[in-house]
Amino acid sequence: KITIHPLRNYLDTAYVGNITIGTPPQEFRVVFDTGSANLWVPCITCTSPACYTHNTFNPQNSSSFREVGSPITIFYGSGIIQGFLGSDTIRIGNLVSLKQSFGLSQEEYGFDGAPFDGVLGLAFPSISTKGAIPIFDNLWSQGAFSEPVFAFYLSKYKPEGSVVMFGGVDHRYYKGELNWIPVSQPHHWLISMNHISMNGNIVACSHGCQAFVDTGTSLIYGPTDLVTNINKLMNARLENSEYAVLCDAVKTLPPVIFNINGIDYPLPPQAYITKDKNSCMSIFQGGLENLSPDNWLLGDVFLRQYFSVFDRKNERIGLAPA
Amino acid sequence: CVVILPLKKMKTLRETLREKNLLNNFLEEQAYRLSKNDS
């Protein structure tokens, strides 16, 4: 069974949390990824270089482990994992998912140096590997939530302070009202976007487009020609495969405004320009046309500005200023 | 009954590669690998 998640690009993955698997618990650092639906961690038998620098799961040390056995292959934008399915008790904070199926990778390509051991997918079950019920669905069916929602607050300034919450929304993490946007199809967390503008001019997505709301990547991706246009409008120049801007431009550039469901979501230059030592880079990245000419990907840069709620029951996403 | 789990912001692989001046090589290699995958 092959599952493809072309969007997930671990190069820019930044926010990780801890989960435990098995009895007694073995701890892993995972990405809570709304762009995919599978949970996997490296297996102790994995011999790929990436597995030597990450925590690996030892099934023999867990009394609650059951081998499902089905082989899995998951393709990501910049890597592949291959392995088999198992089942065990998985803990996320106080949540306990019993008989939770998950992937154990035996081979990993392209994950060397990634700041996480595995991925915990939070997309819809329709894009999960056959036979592997996503952890959110398993917890939901086990009655773990009063409301089948999860939400992200991504801190702007500190490495700590970011949270993912399950089963409801803590209103202290956002200002004003949540604006609800229906998902375009119940497979990915994909929403319709009306347009993208700067200085009152539409600069991309002029006839509407689709946007993945993806916690598994940190930047904003779009079709190369449109992204190049946005980068040119901010006088960015290509330097070593990245668009560099003058750091002083942060004071003068306008916000980039994403209009979603008729509501403007401004992204200020302080958010879309990142400073790294003495250079400043635009976070707008091209290359998404391989997937579809009309798709954008809103990653952590966007989600740091906007608290996000993912409502599985009503198949909608809520956004409000963080 | 909201369960809140802390997340930590890690240095991304892009930032690490950029620091070591290896980003360009990585992106070129990745583009080559992806073009092979596409075909």
Side-chain angles (χ1 to χ4, degrees):
Chain A
K1 170 71 182 175
I2 293 175
T3 309
I4 302 175
H5 299 290
L7 297 173
R8 287 270 306 109
N9 187 343
Y10 70 92
L11 188 63
D12 296 305
T13 299
Y15 291 90
V16 298
N18 290 341
I19 63 165
T20 66
I21 306 178
T23 315
Q26 300 176 40
E27 193 169 65
F28 297 91
R29 183 181 274 176
V30 294
V31 179
F32 289 83
D33 177 26
T34 57
S36 64
N38 283 104
L39 166 64
W40 65 266
V41 295
C43 184
I44 193 157
T45 55
C46 174
T47 50
S48 301
C51 296
Y52 290 113
T53 54
H54 291 131
N55 291 325
T56 55
F57 182 73
N58 187 345
Q60 290 187 336
N61 288 353
S62 173
S63 59
S64 45
F65 179 78
R66 297 288 176 270
E67 188 170 327
V68 178
S70 328
I72 57 159
T73 302
I74 306 175
F75 282 75
Y76 293 97
S78 47
I80 302 166
I81 68 117
Q82 287 183 306
F84 63 96
L85 279 180
S87 152
D88 209 330
T89 303
I90 298 189
R91 288 180 170 79
I92 309 173
N94 294 332
L95 295 168
V96 182
S97 184
L98 301 168
K99 295 179 182 170
Q100 173 63 52
S101 48
F102 67 105
L104 290 118
S105 68
Q106 290 177 305
E107 288 180 75
E108 293 184 11
Y109 302 100
F111 285 88
D112 308 29
F116 54 87
D117 304 313
V119 176
L120 189 153
L122 289 166
F124 290 78
S126 56
I127 62 162
S128 176
T129 300
K130 194 180 176 187
I133 299 168
I135 192 161
F136 189 87
D137 292 77
N138 210 27
L139 286 165
W140 190 4
S141 67
Q142 289 168 13
F145 309 128
S146 48
E147 285 180 273
V149 302
F150 55 91
F152 284 85
Y153 168 79
L154 303 180
S155 174
K156 287 177 197 168
Y157 307 111
K158 297 176 188 170
E160 291 85 20
S162 306
V163 294
V164 55
M165 56 193 79
F166 292 94
V169 174
D170 186 332
H171 304 278
R172 290 173 301 174
Y173 286 93
Y174 66 90
K175 291 175 258 181
E177 294 288 307
L178 283 166
N179 296 309
W180 292 103
I181 306 137
V183 298
S184 306
Q185 30 88 334
H187 308 299
H188 296 94
W189 290 105
L190 182 69
I191 54 177
S192 294
M193 186 152 64
N194 298 27
H195 51 76
I196 301 172
S197 63
M198 284 172 86
N199 270 336
N201 301 314
I202 292 175
V203 292
C205 181
S206 51
H207 301 292
C209 55
Q210 299 288 305
F212 291 90
V213 183
D214 185 3
T215 57
T217 193
S218 77
L219 307 183
I220 291 179
Y221 285 80
T224 302
D225 54 339
L226 299 176
V227 164
T228 302
N229 184 39
I230 291 174
N231 283 328
K232 280 182 179 166
L233 286 169
M234 57 179 87
N235 290 321
R237 62 189 188 284
L238 200 55
E239 264 183 24
N240 295 328
S241 313
E242 292 188 293
Y243 275 93
V245 292
L246 294 173
C247 290
D248 280 348
V250 171
K251 297 171 196 159
T252 53
L253 283 170
V256 175
I257 299 171
F258 298 84
N259 187 281
I260 302 167
N261 224 16
I263 293 171
D264 283 342
Y265 294 89
L267 199 63
Q270 292 82 355
Y272 67 73
I273 291 174
T274 62
K275 192 167 185 184
D276 182 61
K277 290 183 181 163
N278 295 324
S279 54
C280 289
M281 305 289 175
S282 159
I283 57 79
F284 286 91
Q285 300 276 321
L288 215 58
E289 63 275 8
N290 289 343
L291 186 69
S292 158
D294 259 356
N295 280 327
W296 287 76
L297 194 158
L298 304 177
D300 299 337
V301 166
F302 182 83
L303 297 170
R304 274 197 285 271
Q305 300 293 315
Y306 298 99
F307 177 81
S308 54
V309 184
F310 298 80
D311 181 347
R312 276 291 305 277
K313 187 179 165 191
N314 299 302
E315 296 179 352
R316 60 184 185 169
I317 292 176
L319 295 173
Chain B
C1 298
V2 182
V3 174
I4 297 181
L5 192 80
L7 298 177
K8 190 171 181 191
K9 187 177 185 304
M10 310 296 288
K11 184 184 277 189
T12 65
L13 190 53
R14 181 189 294 273
E15 289 162 346
T16 305
L17 291 168
R18 193 191 286 143
E19 267 179 19
K20 295 177 179 172
N21 285 328
L22 293 172
L23 183 62
N24 216 21
N25 293 355
F26 178 89
L27 292 173
E28 279 173 13
E29 201 176 289
Q30 191 185 29
Y32 172 70
R33 211 185 308 137
L34 284 173
S35 67
K36 268 179 74 179
N37 280 353
D38 283 349
S39 65

